[in-house]
Amino acid sequence: MLQTADLQARRGHQFVWKTGHWGRCIGDCGSGGIRSRAVWCTHAEGWTTFHANCDQQDKPESQRRCFKVCDWHLELFEWEVSGWDRCGLVPAAGAEAEAEACVTAQHGLQRRSVRCLQKLNRTVVSSEICEHFSPQPPAEQACLVPCPRDCVVSQFSGWSPCGPGCAGSLQHRSRAVIAPPLYGGAPCPNLTESRACGAPACPLGEEQHTYSLRLGPWGQCWLPHPKDAELAGRTMLDLGSDSGEPSTAGLGGSHPQQPAGEVEIGYQTRQVRCVRSDGKHVELSLCLQDPVSPVTSRSCVIPKDCATSEWSPWSRCWRSCGWGGVAAGLRSRRRRVRSVPVGTGRPCPELEEREACSGGGKAPFAWRTSEWKACQVSLLLDQQDPHHQKQAGLCGGGIQTRVVYCAQIVVELGTHRPKEVARPVDGKLCQGPAPASSQLCHLPCLAECAVSSWSPWGPCLPESCQHRHGGRGFRMRQRQVVVDPVGTLAGCPHLVESIPCEDARCHEWEVSEGACVTDRGHCGPGHRVLKALCKSRKGEEVPHHLCSELPHPEVVACEVPCARDCVLSEWSPKNAEGTQSRSRSIVALPAEGGKGCPPERALQEQRACNEHPCVHFFWEVSPWSSCSEDVLGTALNTTSSWSGEPTCGVGIQTRKVFCRKSSSGQVTPKRCPESIRPEAVRPCLLPCKKDCVVTLFSEWTPCPTACQPGNATAVKQSRYRIILQDSANGGQPCPDTLYEERECEDVPICGRATAGAPCVLVPASVRQGPPGQSEPCGHGLQSRAVTCLSEQGGSAAVGECVRWAGAMPALVQECHIPCKDDCTFTPWSKFTACSSDCDTARSRRRSLTGRSRKRDKCQNTELYPQVETEPCPCEAFTSQPHGNWSDCIIRGGPAELQLGMPAQGAARECGQGVRLRAIACYDRSGRLVEPSRCSTSGYIEEPCTVPCPFDCRLSDWSSWSPCSSSCGPGVRVRSKWLKEKPYNGGRPCPKLDLKNQVHEAVPCYSECNQYSWEVGPWSPCKISSEQNSLHCGEGIQTREVRCVKTKAQVFQIKKSWYVLLQQCTLCFVSAGWSGCQLGANATCGHGERRRLLSCRRSDGATVSMQLCQRLHLEKPVPTSSRCVVGCAVDCQLSPWSAWSQCSHTCGAGGQMVRGRSVVLRAAGEGRPCPEQLTQHRSCPVKPCYSWLLGPWSPCTVQGGQCGDGLQVRNLTCVVHDASVSATSKPVENALCGELPSKESVLQLPCSVPCPGDCHLTEWSEWSSCELTCISGRSFEPTGRQSRSRAFMVQAAESRESCSGQEMETRPCSGGKCYDYLWQTSPWRDNVRTVWCQRSDGINVTGGCPLRTKPAEVRHCSPPCRKPFSYCTQRGVCGCERGYTEVMRSNGLLDYCVKVPGLEDKKADVKTIAGKNKPVNSKMHDIFKGWSIQPFNPGEKLKYEWNRLSLEGFSIILSDICDHTLNVTFTYLICRQWLTFALTVSGLTELSPKPFKVGCFSIKPFI
């Protein structure tokens, strides 16, 4: 036991587990991976030992599960990066390190959250997964924090005046905050100061007191007692019903739906007290001198705060640009309003939050397209010739179109994948350019099948070679397809014909001639032996036993020509059908003794051929049927879609096959060879069923929200959907309805009013008055119901109206129930009719009713007018043109052109049009009115012309020229020439040569050797001289030479001894390519270009093509290739859009714009796109009606002298044109609509201080917008403005309790960077003023750094302790008046010397005789014998020198004005003149004008 315990102890202290790093995750993709690490046991000294020595319970794990990342995980995970937080200061490295003074900015650090998320459910996963695809974005970055800036305040205002009398009072002054403290700066100092006035105290008992009625603040709004509430009632705000009527219910009432808001009217009271001038409260009777006491109760609305739902989850991260964009994405969340605020309740907070995010998807709106429609050549031809005749079979280049629309991307729940079919929306919601809706295409040209000539008839072959000899068979001939058919239903004709034969053999003897063996010698007659080979019908040699009896060897006579014999060419190939002929020609004449040439008839041979019957048989087939479903194949190989319906698969095609006789018609199939019978069934691919695909219906167009006249026509709304894919191959057809229309429901009718709610008063138990009087009259409140309706007229949640319908209309308004002592009137009558004259007036009346007719106060027409008069509205209007002329607008076209019909649109792109200019309409008094009063359209119209484009015009093609070569390949050319150049953006001309022509070339070929020189033999030699011998001497030979037309023949020269042949070679040579040749019905698109080959001899001569063909030479290059003729495509534009809404709802300067886009870019020689893609026109100047707020009135305490009151301002409806210099003129209030719902617009709580009260000052004006800047550059995008107010002390006793101040800051734009610099005044008695000034000239407190503040008091260093010395303005020691300074070499004062004789002279200028101590003998020599005397009074000083030492010197002068002059002389020797520069400091009265003394030129510099 002891040993075991000891072992355990040693294990615990001496052996420990060690682990290595985790390895890579291996295994299957996903969460099934495993990673491992090494684990071993080590001794405390470091060596490794067995695992048993370490504690097994503490052994670390060596394997753990992990997530194996694969490449396809890239679509499942992403980094989520939050926005950077605010820049914070970096803490100091050590506590002992002292922070240096900040100069411009401090180093800071920003942080953000970086997480790896799974896209599907937005859960956080290990960062290693995302790091597999991209590095982790940084979570920290360095930043700059501006230096701390103290609060900046303005200078103090002047002291307020003291009051008269003996009572002690205070004076006040204040200042305002200009800039708040930022980044840890010092807070704002006190904004007010007060001091006691110097008035004496009043004697005891003679104090003069005044009394003021103090009105307290209105208290909390209370609900009345239940028994009072039954009488008063309350009005519910019904936000869920459609009635629009207010509903009145008691406290115990219930609503069938939970109301979204509820208006409850209660009451509130306030306290009234009498205050003496010393601040003490006294009896109320001392203040109530008016019999009418102030109101102490009133009706009020029970406040209710806005109630909202919880935040919705964050949306996905959306980016406005495509994948890979650098712009950050945004995600948002929303909450909805459950109940609106009522009364003074807390308003609704922000209902939507957005924040930056990364890794988001695309925006929820994107461009979508339908499938391309069929290629149409006519669309392209319409551009070239709008009046061209419609043709069938057009081919070549064309245009195909598709529908482009903006769609809302809907994400399927649970899949996070967008649905393929989305709802079309307004194109303005999609960003970026729209995809092309047109493109060029190619329609293959129709081509008939072309076949070659028939081959010769083949041997008689049996149907089967099972029987070796004899039997019935067929002889066949064939032809090949030269041009495959394109786009035709009829295929190629039959390619094989046969005729029956009787002696058909599978194998037969083929006899060939052997070499000719002469009987004697090398030439002359001889014989050749015929050889026989057994061959199959394929031409292959087979054993002899397969053929019939071996033919006997046959010997045929032959002849080998000798050297002197006549030489003949080989027989030409047999030609013609029915009768064959061949020929040969004499190549060389025989020599003497040679064999003569055969007669001419022996050079040609003829024989009959094609002796077989002319009746042919062939297989004929019908066209293939359409691909149909194979029942058996479908059962075996069917494939199903997700809905279980059969889709694409393998089907069959069938056709009829029958044997046909050439002369009569269909015959029995036995007459045609069965071995070449065409197949009647073949497999095919079944065309896939294509269902029609349409988008969802768009949203219904909105119904009008404004009220409509009762007799107005019914307003309709519509919606549409788009076909994305047409049905095909039996798929589901497209729906018939693509456009729907319906009438709007519940359109409000103008003039329909709802019943008014009762006026709720303060309960009688609360109202003031003598006991027993409880008349229900006076001022109260009444409410109305406000219902939220959807665009379709149905009930909607209140949150939807808060979000989309703007500010909520007022729920409560003041009302009045007349009391029995009030004056009551009948309603106002209608205004009297106006005459046609504009200077007349109209009036309306009312009269007193009931007991009011007997009351005297009601007869006062000044207080209670019974007649109102106003000028008649004048119907005389004048118009003035406004703005610029619009672009020239072509009218008369449809609202929307059909895509691909530019011909109709082209006519409307040019020609006669109109341009418009807006007008402003004014009435007689100069007020702006509706432009329809002056013009029905609101415009002045003027005709204009848009010039039409004219295309380049060329002549017709000329006739083809002859072939350029008489032998071999050449070209034929035709041309066009320029007739009219393009202008106004017409189609450009093709590339022309120097002669303004364009050419087209095609290849041609001229047969060589058509003509040749024919040379006869030389005649015998004739002796020219008779004297000479008849048999010898010089003579003349002649021969006949003529040009003859010959046939191209192929010669093979036989070997002869007397004909010498030169060795030569032949080869094919290619000519240049022709132009691109198109089909007959094509104008552009795919074509073919060709080139011809010529046969060229090695000496460069072009010879007949038959020579190269005879040698079966290989063609070195292709003779045809595909090519493309570019289509001349005119620029195609979309129709003009509808005119946009005016950029201004009213007033001048509004613009309307319409645009068009490029649907198809111009290509080739097409008409280019015009530069103008937008058109603008000014809007008619509509009057702007707005409420004009007047200035705030002084704070008024109604019924009292101090306390809580109101500031009010008037609201006037004015009309203007919204321009900067617009003048507003008042109009009827009805034109401005409903009054603002917020009472704070017209009323503002305020306070009038009572005697002894401390009160807040008025808010200061907002300071100028100031930016936070570093080195003159803005640090933040927005600036700040500040304002402040502070408590003002009225009595000295409440100075301590009456303290405090408020400051408000708001962001602003358009701010400036300001600098703060110290400013100083001149020194006076070693003291000066130092203040801080902003760069715009405002003197402030704060803002300037204290460490750079200049000194305000100046001290001399070292101190001035010499007799008669003092500290001067320059901060150095000087001598008192009557003494002159003697300076040391270091510039400090040595001692003061009294000026002798100063007390005897009273001149303005002192005469100084410098005396120096013996040690300063050098200075004594310099100053010896000089003096200073004045000019006339007010003139400059005149300096005279009796003797000068030519050295630099410095002296100190003192004049009678106690100014000290520091005069420095600098001299130069120049010829005989000595020039001095005199610098004078300390004498500001001295003029800088130069003055001369003798030959010295001296100018003082101050």
Side-chain angles (χ1 to χ4, degrees):
M1 293 294 294
L2 292 176
Q3 291 179 353
T4 303
D6 182 59
L7 179 61
Q8 292 293 337
R10 286 191 292 112
R11 285 180 180 175
H13 294 85
Q14 297 181 0
F15 298 97
V16 292
W17 290 105
K18 294 288 186 181
T19 59
H21 296 290
W22 286 106
R24 295 183 58 185
C25 191
I26 60 175
D28 298 332
C29 295
S31 58
I34 294 177
R35 59 165 35 128
S36 305
R37 65 176 176 180
V39 178
W40 65 93
C41 180
T42 61
H43 191 268
E45 297 177 357
W47 45 270
T48 305
T49 182
F50 296 105
H51 285 196
N53 291 328
C54 290
D55 190 354
Q56 297 300 315
Q57 295 180 354
D58 297 335
K59 183 178 180 180
E61 61 178 351
S62 60
Q63 286 187 344
R64 65 168 54 168
R65 301 186 66 84
C66 58
F67 190 93
K68 176 67 181 334
V69 183
C70 297
D71 291 340
W72 59 271
H73 286 138
L74 175 62
E75 302 297 329
L76 302 179
F77 301 95
E78 64 181 357
W79 289 111
E80 183 192 58
V81 182
S82 66
W84 293 105
D85 58 8
R86 297 193 62 178
C87 189
L89 287 176
V90 178
E96 67 280 356
E98 296 183 0
E100 298 181 359
C102 182
V103 178
T104 57
Q106 308 167 88
H107 292 290
L109 195 65
Q110 284 179 293
R111 294 181 174 85
R112 64 179 178 181
S113 171
V114 179
R115 303 185 302 173
C116 183
L117 295 184
Q118 186 177 357
K119 292 182 181 179
L120 187 61
N121 52 12
R122 312 301 294 175
T123 56
V124 181
V125 296
S126 174
S127 298
E128 296 178 356
I129 298 177
C130 292
E131 288 176 349
H132 182 80
F133 308 109
S134 62
Q136 180 174 349
E140 294 182 350
Q141 71 175 5
C143 56
L144 290 177
V145 181
C147 294
R149 192 184 70 179
D150 300 341
C151 178
V152 180
V153 297
S154 64
Q155 288 186 314
F156 273 113
S157 63
W159 290 102
S160 63
C162 286
C166 59
S169 58
L170 298 177
Q171 283 182 292
H172 310 281
R173 66 175 182 176
S174 61
R175 55 186 174 183
V177 175
I178 294 178
L182 296 175
Y183 309 108
C188 296
N190 289 333
L191 300 179
T192 59
E193 284 186 353
S194 61
R195 67 182 182 185
C197 291
C202 294
L204 187 62
E206 296 183 7
E207 297 89 350
Q208 298 176 356
H209 293 297
T210 58
Y211 300 94
S212 302
L213 187 64
R214 181 208 294 269
L215 299 182
W218 289 103
Q220 184 179 354
C221 192
W222 298 95
L223 281 174
H225 194 270
K227 66 178 181 179
D228 296 325
E230 293 177 1
L231 300 176
R234 63 178 180 177
T235 303
M236 306 286 291
L237 176 60
D238 183 5
L239 292 161
S241 64
D242 297 335
S243 65
E245 300 289 341
S247 57
T248 304
L251 291 177
S254 62
H255 199 275
Q257 294 183 359
Q258 180 66 27
E262 180 181 330
V263 176
E264 295 179 308
I265 298 177
Y267 69 93
Q268 58 185 162
T269 60
R270 63 178 175 181
Q271 195 175 31
V272 179
R273 288 188 177 184
C274 187
V275 181
R276 203 168 61 181
S277 56
D278 58 357
K280 295 182 179 180
H281 292 166
V282 294
E283 295 180 1
L284 191 61
S285 59
L286 297 176
C287 293
L288 292 177
Q289 300 176 359
D290 193 343
V292 180
S293 60
V295 177
T296 59
S297 63
R298 66 179 183 183
S299 298
C300 59
V301 177
I302 301 296
K304 292 187 178 180
D305 297 339
C306 174
T308 61
S309 63
E310 296 295 328
W311 284 109
S312 65
W314 285 104
S315 67
R316 295 188 65 192
C317 192
W318 298 109
R319 282 205 303 260
S320 59
C321 54
W323 290 103
V326 296
L330 288 176
R331 65 174 186 171
S332 60
R333 62 176 182 174
R334 291 189 178 95
R335 51 185 172 185
R336 57 184 179 84
V337 176
R338 289 180 173 171
S339 61
V340 294
V342 178
T344 59
R346 186 174 65 249
C348 293
E350 291 294 330
L351 300 178
E352 183 177 8
E353 277 188 355
R354 292 186 178 185
E355 70 176 13
C357 57
S358 64
K362 299 179 182 178
F365 299 99
W367 292 109
R368 290 290 184 264
T369 60
S370 67
E371 64 178 359
W372 288 107
K373 291 184 170 55
C375 188
Q376 300 183 54
V377 180
S378 59
L379 298 182
L380 192 60
L381 296 179
D382 287 340
Q383 294 184 346
Q384 303 170 8
D385 183 10
H387 307 291
H388 77 94
Q389 297 294 328
K390 301 299 181 182
Q391 304 177 23
L394 293 175
C395 62
I399 294 176
Q400 59 183 162
T401 60
R402 63 180 177 181
V403 179
V404 177
Y405 64 99
C406 182
Q408 180 181 4
I409 307 302
V410 181
V411 178
E412 295 182 0
L413 295 178
T415 62
H416 295 278
R417 294 180 180 177
K419 288 184 177 179
E420 291 300 324
V421 181
R423 185 189 303 274
V425 294
D426 189 355
K428 297 178 182 178
L429 298 175
C430 283
Q431 299 181 352
S437 59
S438 299
Q439 71 175 6
L440 287 175
C441 56
H442 179 77
L443 195 63
C445 292
L446 299 179
E448 299 291 340
C449 181
V451 295
S452 64
S453 301
W454 287 106
S455 66
W457 288 100
C460 184
L461 300 175
E463 275 286 276
S464 174
C465 288
Q466 294 178 358
H467 306 286
R468 295 186 179 180
H469 306 291
R472 183 174 173 271
F474 295 93
R475 298 180 64 190
M476 289 177 285
R477 65 176 180 177
Q478 299 177 347
R479 56 184 173 181
Q480 286 79 34
V481 176
V482 178
V483 178
D484 291 320
V486 177
T488 59
L489 293 177
C492 291
H494 61 280
L495 302 177
V496 180
E497 285 185 347
S498 62
I499 53 176
C501 57
E502 295 300 331
D503 190 15
R505 296 179 180 274
C506 291
H507 308 90
E508 61 181 355
W509 294 104
E510 183 178 293
V511 179
S512 62
E513 297 179 352
C516 186
V517 180
T518 59
D519 294 338
R520 63 178 180 271
H522 298 286
C523 63
H527 64 277
R528 56 163 55 100
V529 179
L530 300 181
K531 293 182 179 180
L533 295 176
C534 184
K535 290 190 176 182
S536 67
R537 62 182 179 181
K538 295 182 180 179
E540 300 172 351
E541 187 175 355
V542 295
H544 291 178
H545 69 275
L546 295 178
C547 293
S548 59
E549 294 181 2
L550 181 66
H552 297 287
E554 185 178 352
V555 178
V556 179
C558 64
E559 185 176 358
V560 176
C562 295
R564 295 176 180 270
D565 295 344
C566 176
V567 180
L568 299 176
S569 67
E570 292 288 334
W571 288 105
S572 66
K574 299 180 180 67
N575 51 28
E577 186 171 344
T579 300
Q580 287 183 313
S581 64
R582 65 176 182 174
S583 62
R584 57 181 176 176
S585 60
I586 299 173
V587 177
L589 296 173
E592 186 176 353
K595 184 178 180 180
C597 293
E600 185 176 354
R601 65 177 179 274
L603 298 179
Q604 292 184 353
E605 286 184 354
Q606 287 186 348
R607 72 175 182 181
C609 61
N610 285 353
E611 297 175 353
H612 50 268
C614 291
V615 178
H616 311 145
F617 299 91
F618 56 88
W619 290 107
E620 191 170 64
V621 294
S622 65
W624 286 106
S625 67
S626 60
C627 193
S628 60
E629 187 174 348
D630 184 4
V631 179
L632 180 60
T634 302
L636 297 176
N637 300 321
T638 185
T639 57
S640 299
S641 65
W642 60 272
S643 60
E645 298 178 355
T647 59
C648 315
V650 178
I652 58 171
Q653 281 180 293
T654 60
R655 62 179 177 180
K656 294 181 179 180
V657 180
F658 48 88
C659 184
R660 189 178 181 89
K661 186 178 180 181
S662 60
S663 58
S664 59
Q666 185 174 349
V667 295
T668 177
K670 294 181 180 181
R671 307 294 296 274
C672 293
E674 189 66 27
S675 60
I676 60 171
R677 181 186 182 116
E679 59 183 2
V681 179
R682 69 177 180 183
C684 59
L685 292 177
L686 282 171
C688 296
K689 288 184 179 181
K690 287 175 60 177
D691 294 339
C692 177
V693 179
V694 295
T695 65
L696 303 176
F697 270 108
S698 65
E699 295 284 350
W700 287 102
T701 55
C703 286
T705 55
C707 63
Q708 302 295 313
N711 57 354
T713 58
V715 182
K716 295 184 178 181
Q717 57 181 170
S718 61
R719 64 177 183 174
Y720 65 95
R721 54 183 172 181
I722 299 170
I723 295 178
L724 301 181
Q725 174 181 287
D726 288 316
S727 62
N729 306 319
Q732 184 178 355
C734 292
D736 296 331
T737 305
L738 298 177
Y739 179 83
E740 289 184 351
E741 198 173 54
R742 70 180 184 185
E743 291 187 2
C744 292
E745 299 178 356
D746 299 332
V747 178
I749 305 300
C750 297
R752 186 170 63 186
T754 57
C759 188
V760 181
L761 304 176
V762 177
S765 59
V766 181
R767 289 198 299 268
Q768 282 186 336
Q773 291 187 359
S774 59
E775 181 185 3
C777 64
H779 292 278
L781 295 175
Q782 65 178 154
S783 61
R784 63 176 178 181
V786 176
T787 306
C788 180
L789 299 177
S790 65
E791 291 181 350
Q792 288 76 21
S795 178
V798 64
E800 299 300 316
C801 282
V802 173
R803 182 179 179 187
W804 303 110
M808 188 176 183
L811 298 174
V812 180
Q813 69 176 5
E814 293 183 355
C815 58
H816 181 263
I817 297 178
C819 298
K820 61 183 179 181
D821 293 334
D822 293 341
C823 298
T824 57
F825 298 87
T826 61
W828 284 105
S829 66
K830 294 183 179 181
F831 278 104
T832 58
C834 288
S835 63
S836 59
D837 191 2
C838 285
D839 295 328
T840 58
R842 63 180 182 178
S843 61
R844 65 176 182 175
R845 295 178 178 273
R846 66 176 179 176
S847 58
L848 294 167
T849 60
R851 299 179 182 178
S852 300
R853 290 178 291 187
K854 298 180 180 180
R855 295 192 180 94
D856 294 336
K857 69 173 184 177
C858 297
Q859 302 294 335
N860 187 350
T861 55
E862 293 183 359
L863 295 176
Y864 305 104
Q866 299 184 25
V867 178
E868 280 186 352
T869 304
E870 68 177 14
C872 282
C874 185
E875 296 296 329
F877 304 101
T878 57
S879 64
Q880 294 180 4
H882 206 282
N884 299 323
W885 287 101
S886 71
D887 300 313
C888 194
I889 301 170
I890 307 297
R891 288 179 173 174
E896 182 177 359
L897 298 177
Q898 187 177 2
L899 190 61
M901 299 296 290
Q904 290 82 354
R908 289 187 288 271
E909 293 294 330
C910 61
Q912 292 294 324
V914 293
R915 61 176 188 163
L916 308 175
R917 191 177 186 186
I919 61 170
C921 190
Y922 298 91
D923 63 6
R924 190 175 182 186
S925 61
R927 295 182 301 184
L928 188 65
V929 295
E930 290 290 335
S932 58
R933 299 289 185 93
C934 296
S935 169
T936 55
S937 65
Y939 290 100
I940 305 172
E941 294 188 2
E942 181 180 88
C944 59
T945 302
V946 176
C948 292
F950 283 86
D951 300 335
C952 174
R953 291 185 58 199
L954 301 177
S955 67
D956 295 331
W957 285 110
S958 65
S959 58
W960 289 104
S961 67
C963 191
S964 61
S965 174
S966 61
C967 175
V971 291
R972 292 191 300 157
V973 180
R974 65 177 180 174
S975 61
K976 291 181 180 181
W977 55 90
L978 178 65
K979 295 184 68 175
E980 190 172 358
K981 292 183 178 181
Y983 57 93
N984 290 339
R987 281 191 172 202
C989 295
K991 188 175 182 181
L992 304 175
D993 60 8
L994 296 178
K995 297 181 180 180
N996 285 334
Q997 292 183 344
V998 61
H999 303 277
E1000 183 181 15
V1002 294
C1004 59
Y1005 187 84
S1006 298
E1007 191 65 41
C1008 297
N1009 301 327
Q1010 291 182 357
Y1011 300 92
S1012 63
W1013 291 106
E1014 187 177 87
V1015 180
W1018 291 108
S1019 67
C1021 187
K1022 294 181 180 181
I1023 305 300
S1024 60
S1025 175
E1026 294 181 356
Q1027 299 176 358
N1028 295 335
S1029 172
L1030 296 175
H1031 304 286
C1032 62
E1034 294 181 0
I1036 297 175
Q1037 282 181 304
T1038 61
R1039 65 179 178 181
E1040 184 179 358
V1041 178
R1042 60 178 180 174
C1043 181
V1044 295
K1045 184 175 183 181
T1046 62
K1047 293 184 177 179
Q1049 294 180 345
V1050 180
F1051 299 100
Q1052 182 175 357
I1053 307 300
K1054 293 187 176 181
K1055 184 177 180 183
S1056 73
W1057 297 106
Y1058 66 94
V1059 178
L1060 298 178
L1061 299 177
Q1062 182 182 1
Q1063 186 178 4
C1064 67
T1065 57
L1066 299 175
C1067 61
F1068 280 116
V1069 178
S1070 63
W1073 288 109
S1074 70
C1076 195
Q1077 304 296 310
L1078 300 172
N1081 293 330
T1083 57
C1084 64
H1086 296 287
E1088 187 178 25
R1089 59 177 183 169
R1090 297 183 179 91
R1091 58 182 173 184
L1092 297 178
L1093 298 178
S1094 61
C1095 186
R1096 184 171 299 177
R1097 208 166 54 196
S1098 56
D1099 60 353
T1102 301
V1103 296
S1104 174
M1105 283 289 293
Q1106 295 182 5
L1107 294 177
C1108 289
Q1109 293 172 355
R1110 180 70 176 176
L1111 298 175
H1112 302 289
L1113 296 179
E1114 183 181 357
K1115 296 180 180 180
V1117 290
T1119 57
S1120 66
S1121 68
R1122 305 286 291 175
C1123 58
V1124 176
V1125 175
C1127 295
V1129 182
D1130 292 345
C1131 174
Q1132 189 173 340
L1133 302 175
S1134 66
W1136 284 108
S1137 66
W1139 287 102
S1140 68
Q1141 295 291 331
C1142 188
S1143 59
H1144 298 10
T1145 55
C1146 64
Q1151 289 284 320
M1152 300 171 68
V1153 63
R1154 70 173 184 173
R1156 54 184 176 177
S1157 59
V1158 176
V1159 176
L1160 188 63
R1161 293 280 179 188
E1165 298 161 9
R1167 186 175 297 170
C1169 295
E1171 295 181 358
Q1172 186 186 38
L1173 296 179
T1174 57
Q1175 286 186 340
H1176 297 79
R1177 72 179 186 189
S1178 300
C1179 305
V1181 183
K1182 294 184 178 180
C1184 293
Y1185 301 105
S1186 60
W1187 293 107
L1188 181 64
L1189 293 169
W1192 287 108
S1193 68
C1195 190
T1196 304
V1197 182
Q1198 190 173 5
Q1201 290 78 38
C1202 64
D1204 290 273
L1206 286 176
Q1207 281 182 288
V1208 296
R1209 55 180 175 182
N1210 294 327
L1211 199 60
T1212 308
C1213 182
V1214 294
V1215 62
H1216 55 88
D1217 62 1
S1219 61
V1220 177
S1221 58
T1223 56
S1224 300
K1225 294 193 175 183
V1227 292
E1228 296 83 1
N1229 288 346
L1231 295 175
C1232 287
E1234 193 168 350
L1235 289 170
S1237 59
K1238 293 185 178 180
E1239 295 181 355
S1240 60
V1241 175
L1242 300 178
Q1243 295 182 354
L1244 194 65
C1246 61
S1247 177
V1248 176
C1250 292
D1253 291 347
C1254 59
H1255 67 283
L1256 280 171
T1257 60
E1258 297 294 329
W1259 282 107
S1260 64
E1261 296 293 331
W1262 286 104
S1263 63
S1264 58
C1265 190
E1266 182 176 0
L1267 298 173
T1268 303
C1269 303
I1270 298 177
S1271 300
R1273 299 183 64 180
S1274 175
F1275 177 73
E1276 295 173 337
T1278 58
R1280 293 179 178 85
Q1281 287 178 292
S1282 301
R1283 67 175 183 174
S1284 58
R1285 62 179 180 177
F1287 279 99
M1288 195 72 72
V1289 180
Q1290 295 288 339
E1293 294 82 2
S1294 59
R1295 180 174 296 178
E1296 293 184 1
S1297 61
C1298 189
S1299 62
Q1301 55 197 30
E1302 296 180 5
M1303 177 183 65
E1304 287 184 353
T1305 303
R1306 69 180 182 186
C1308 57
S1309 58
K1312 297 180 180 179
C1313 293
Y1314 292 110
D1315 295 326
Y1316 293 89
L1317 302 174
W1318 291 108
Q1319 303 291 330
T1320 58
S1321 65
W1323 289 103
R1324 284 189 178 275
D1325 298 331
N1326 292 325
V1327 178
R1328 63 179 176 181
T1329 305
V1330 178
W1331 71 95
C1332 183
Q1333 189 179 79
R1334 203 167 69 173
S1335 54
D1336 59 350
I1338 299 178
N1339 296 333
V1340 298
T1341 299
C1344 295
L1346 295 177
R1347 58 186 176 81
T1348 60
K1349 183 177 181 181
E1352 296 179 285
V1353 179
R1354 185 168 55 189
H1355 303 279
C1356 287
S1357 179
C1360 302
R1361 295 192 177 94
K1362 302 292 184 180
F1364 310 108
S1365 65
Y1366 72 99
C1367 190
T1368 63
Q1369 297 281 1
R1370 296 181 295 110
V1372 297
C1373 294
C1375 295
E1376 296 177 354
R1377 184 177 179 180
Y1379 294 85
T1380 184
E1381 293 86 353
V1382 178
M1383 311 300 291
R1384 296 178 182 174
S1385 59
N1386 58 3
L1388 300 178
L1389 180 66
D1390 191 2
Y1391 54 89
C1392 295
V1393 178
K1394 187 174 183 180
V1395 179
L1398 183 62
E1399 62 277 2
D1400 299 331
K1401 296 184 179 181
K1402 297 182 180 179
D1404 291 336
V1405 180
K1406 304 172 184 177
T1407 301
I1408 304 173
K1411 295 184 179 180
N1412 300 317
K1413 297 175 69 175
V1415 295
N1416 295 327
S1417 59
K1418 186 175 181 180
M1419 186 175 290
H1420 175 75
D1421 295 336
I1422 293 175
F1423 288 92
K1424 184 178 181 180
W1426 65 272
S1427 63
I1428 301 175
Q1429 61 185 12
F1431 280 118
N1432 294 329
E1435 296 292 336
K1436 308 298 183 290
L1437 296 178
K1438 180 179 181 181
Y1439 295 85
E1440 294 183 357
W1441 285 263
N1442 295 332
R1443 186 179 65 183
L1444 293 175
S1445 174
L1446 299 181
E1447 296 180 11
F1449 58 93
S1450 177
I1451 63 174
I1452 303 298
L1453 304 178
S1454 295
D1455 63 359
I1456 59 174
C1457 300
D1458 201 19
H1459 289 293
T1460 300
L1461 301 180
N1462 184 6
V1463 185
T1464 304
F1465 292 88
T1466 306
Y1467 56 87
L1468 274 180
I1469 298 177
C1470 180
R1471 295 182 181 178
Q1472 299 177 355
W1473 297 93
L1474 191 63
T1475 303
F1476 290 84
L1478 175 65
T1479 302
V1480 182
S1481 61
L1483 183 62
T1484 58
E1485 294 85 356
L1486 202 60
S1487 172
K1489 183 178 180 182
F1491 54 90
K1492 286 190 177 182
V1493 181
C1495 63
F1496 302 100
S1497 177
I1498 305 174
K1499 179 180 180 181
F1501 297 88
I1502 302 176

